[in-house]
Amino acid sequence: MNKEARVQFVINTLKDLYPVIPVPLDHKDPYTLLIAVLLSAQCTDVRVNQITPLLFAKADNPYDMVKMSIEEIKEIIRPCGLSPMKSKGIHGLSEILIEKHNGEVPQSFEALEALPAVGHKTASVVMSQAFGVPAFPVDTHIHRLMYRWNLSNGKNVVQTEKDAKRLFPRELWNDLHLQIIWYGREYSPARSWSLEKDIITRTIGKKSVIEEAAKKKI
């Protein structure tokens, strides 16, 4: 199977498995999505979805958020990890949204990435899921699977994003990045991985990955 055929196999398989694609992080608008994505750094989406209702009950917009102290925010979000950095980021970006953007989340990568604690991946998720702008945020699942599927060299997430954008049609980016995340969680996890269950890797995967999986099974 050549690379073009392998890419199409991925697209078709994911579409069959996930015709309706749930968004992993609970939110109601661009601001609450931005905060949820920021909290998800080195934290599971399940944990974030447990914590955000507590935070948003007190402040679900930048105007209410800046009324809270950084310490108050930190105490609420502590279970998500990295709470000192994240609490400063949440308070700081809320101030900037009020001062520079009339309290609204800006709809550009440049403006989003200029906010405290907001990197390229967070900006990409917001642009994609909140505003429908084609983006391909690469998390650990996508990085792992693009390597397993021999569609990227696994060197770093920057390269993986470039490869994903080059290989997949732009109009599918927003669906695919979510579909790959769900597939990674359900069929191709980092641990307790079964090649038999993982139809995509089993069919088009990198030879060395398949051989390594076979050795472990033996």
Side-chain angles (χ1 to χ4, degrees):
M1 212 184 288
N2 62 25
K3 186 166 279 190
E4 188 176 316
R6 287 188 284 120
V7 167
Q8 195 57 52
F9 179 77
V10 170
I11 292 170
N12 293 343
T13 304
L14 292 175
K15 189 174 181 181
D16 287 344
L17 287 171
Y18 307 104
V20 178
I21 313 162
V23 176
L25 292 169
D26 297 338
H27 66 283
K28 65 174 185 176
D29 56 22
Y31 179 76
T32 52
L33 176 63
L34 174 60
I35 301 304
V37 178
L38 189 154
L39 289 174
S40 71
Q42 297 184 37
C43 180
T44 66
D45 292 345
V46 172
R47 176 63 58 83
V48 173
N49 288 338
Q50 292 169 345
I51 298 303
T52 47
L54 306 176
L55 179 62
F56 296 152
K58 292 180 175 290
D60 61 359
N61 62 81
Y63 296 95
D64 288 335
M65 195 67 76
V66 296
K67 293 176 185 174
M68 298 177 68
S69 69
I70 292 173
E71 194 61 36
E72 287 175 310
I73 297 170
K74 186 168 75 173
E75 282 305 307
I76 295 172
I77 68 170
R78 190 181 297 279
C80 291
L82 304 177
S83 58
M85 180 197 76
K86 290 177 181 178
S87 57
K88 287 177 185 175
I90 290 170
H91 197 276
L93 72 81
S94 298
E95 288 181 324
I96 293 172
L97 292 181
I98 294 167
E99 292 167 6
K100 294 187 176 181
H101 303 287
N102 298 313
E104 299 291 330
V105 175
Q107 298 187 35
S108 80
F109 286 96
E110 185 180 18
L112 283 167
E113 290 180 36
L115 297 171
V118 177
H120 179 65
K121 181 198 157 194
T122 297
S124 296
V125 173
V126 173
M127 291 296 286
S128 169
Q129 296 176 15
F131 302 125
V133 175
F136 216 111
V138 173
D139 73 344
T140 55
H141 296 290
I142 294 173
H143 186 55
R144 178 176 70 254
L145 296 194
M146 286 289 289
Y147 176 77
R148 282 183 177 174
W149 298 343
N150 203 21
L151 299 178
S152 190
N153 61 17
K155 188 176 179 183
N156 54 56
V157 294
V158 174
Q159 185 60 49
T160 298
E161 182 179 340
K162 285 180 182 176
D163 291 334
K165 287 180 171 179
R166 176 174 53 83
L167 292 169
F168 295 114
R170 182 180 173 86
E171 66 271 16
L172 298 181
W173 289 356
N174 289 355
D175 284 350
L176 279 169
H177 95 262
L178 286 173
Q179 289 169 323
I180 295 173
I181 288 170
W182 286 113
Y183 186 89
R185 290 176 179 178
E186 296 181 2
Y187 297 97
S188 192
R191 298 176 182 176
S192 303
W193 171 47
S194 166
L195 188 62
E196 291 177 11
K197 188 179 177 184
D198 183 353
I199 184 174
I200 296 180
T201 306
R202 198 173 74 235
T203 306
I204 65 158
K206 193 177 184 73
K207 186 180 177 183
S208 59
V209 170
I210 293 172
E211 288 175 349
E212 186 64 28
K215 283 180 188 173
K216 288 181 179 177
K217 190 176 180 183
I218 292 168

